[in-house]
Amino acid sequence: MNRITVVQRALAGRADPVYLEVGVSRGAAFRRIAAHEKIAVDPRFRMTARTRRRADAQAAATHYFPMTSDEFFATRSEFLERRGIDVALIDGLHTYEQVMRDVDHTLRHLRDDGIVVLHDCNPRFPSVGRPAGSYAEYRAATPWWKARFLGWSGDVWKAIVHLRSTRDDLRVAVLDCDFGVGILRRGTPDSRLSCSVAQIAALTYEDLAADREQLLNLRPPAYLDDFLGSGSRPVEVLE
């Protein structure tokens, strides 16, 4: 299972669903996703004409916004309010701060039963989880072979810890596949964390490696069936 499968299953069965993808780049995911309307946001699209045709063929309408996600949400609120978002994939700049802004903005326009998917939530190696302000900064500090073959997830995982510590109205988990696929929706959490914002900011990759199952609410891919079926459950607060 990967993020594309998760998104498509979250879209299944919805009437005329609207799909938002933040961080499209070459369109590896966007071209494969089928929805009634698809919205693509990226400050530097690198999609070929063929990839765009494939992406457009999977929707009745496709909208491209060549701008940062901050600019998009600041200037296109009316566009989003007219539609609402059924499912969103957030896979843009891999920093804790940016992901939190993207999640917060997306939630304002997410339908009550909508799903947000986050990529790169479970880096398996220190180099993959190295914090950096940009991909270029990460590349400059990382041996070329690690950057090329292992990729970069940054500290996206801290957004999961933040949400699980500060929101009692969201059900949040990470599927143990495809570099960690975060999933969240409105509802009663499976369990919660008790980290302060200052504590989250101070967390390191070593903290994640020591306790990733608890910090991320890490689940096997089969958990997606239960998650998409929603359902409330008692909340356990984890120290």
Side-chain angles (χ1 to χ4, degrees), residues 140-201:
T142 306
W144 71 268
W145 61 271
K146 286 187 177 181
R148 179 176 180 182
F149 295 109
L150 298 180
W152 180 51
S153 295
D155 55 0
V156 173
W157 61 274
K158 288 188 179 182
I160 299 295
V161 178
H162 184 114
L163 292 165
R164 296 192 60 227
S165 297
T166 63
R167 298 291 296 257
D168 61 5
D169 61 334
L170 296 177
R171 190 174 173 190
V172 183
V174 174
L175 302 178
D176 193 8
C177 59
D178 193 17
F179 304 98
V181 179
I183 46 178
L184 65 96
R185 68 181 308 167
R186 293 184 177 90
T188 305
D190 299 315
S191 61
R192 296 192 63 205
L193 300 172
S194 59
C195 301
S196 68
V197 173
Q199 288 172 328
I200 296 167

Side-chain angles (χ1 to χ4, degrees), residues 105-231:
H105 288 141
T106 299
L107 286 172
R108 293 173 190 167
H109 302 283
L110 191 71
R111 297 188 188 278
D112 289 343
D113 63 345
I115 305 291
V116 179
V117 179
L118 309 177
H119 194 216
D120 293 290
C121 296
N122 187 25
R124 288 293 182 180
F125 304 100
S127 65
V128 177
R130 175 177 290 130
S134 67
Y135 183 64
E137 181 181 322
Y138 162 74
R139 287 290 301 269
T142 306
W144 71 268
W145 61 271
K146 286 187 177 181
R148 179 176 180 182
F149 295 109
L150 298 180
W152 180 51
S153 295
D155 55 0
V156 173
W157 61 274
K158 288 188 179 182
I160 299 295
V161 178
H162 184 114
L163 292 165
R164 296 192 60 227
S165 297
T166 63
R167 298 291 296 257
D168 61 5
D169 61 334
L170 296 177
R171 190 174 173 190
V172 183
V174 174
L175 302 178
D176 193 8
C177 59
D178 193 17
F179 304 98
V181 179
I183 46 178
L184 65 96
R185 68 181 308 167
R186 293 184 177 90
T188 305
D190 299 315
S191 61
R192 296 192 63 205
L193 300 172
S194 59
C195 301
S196 68
V197 173
Q199 288 172 328
I200 296 167
L203 289 172
T204 65
Y205 180 84
E206 288 70 27
D207 296 313
L208 173 67
D211 203 10
R212 68 178 73 233
E213 287 76 14
Q214 177 169 291
L215 288 174
L216 301 179
N217 191 21
L218 193 62
R219 301 293 186 125
Y223 175 77
L224 182 63
D225 291 333
D226 176 67
F227 183 86
L228 293 179
S230 192

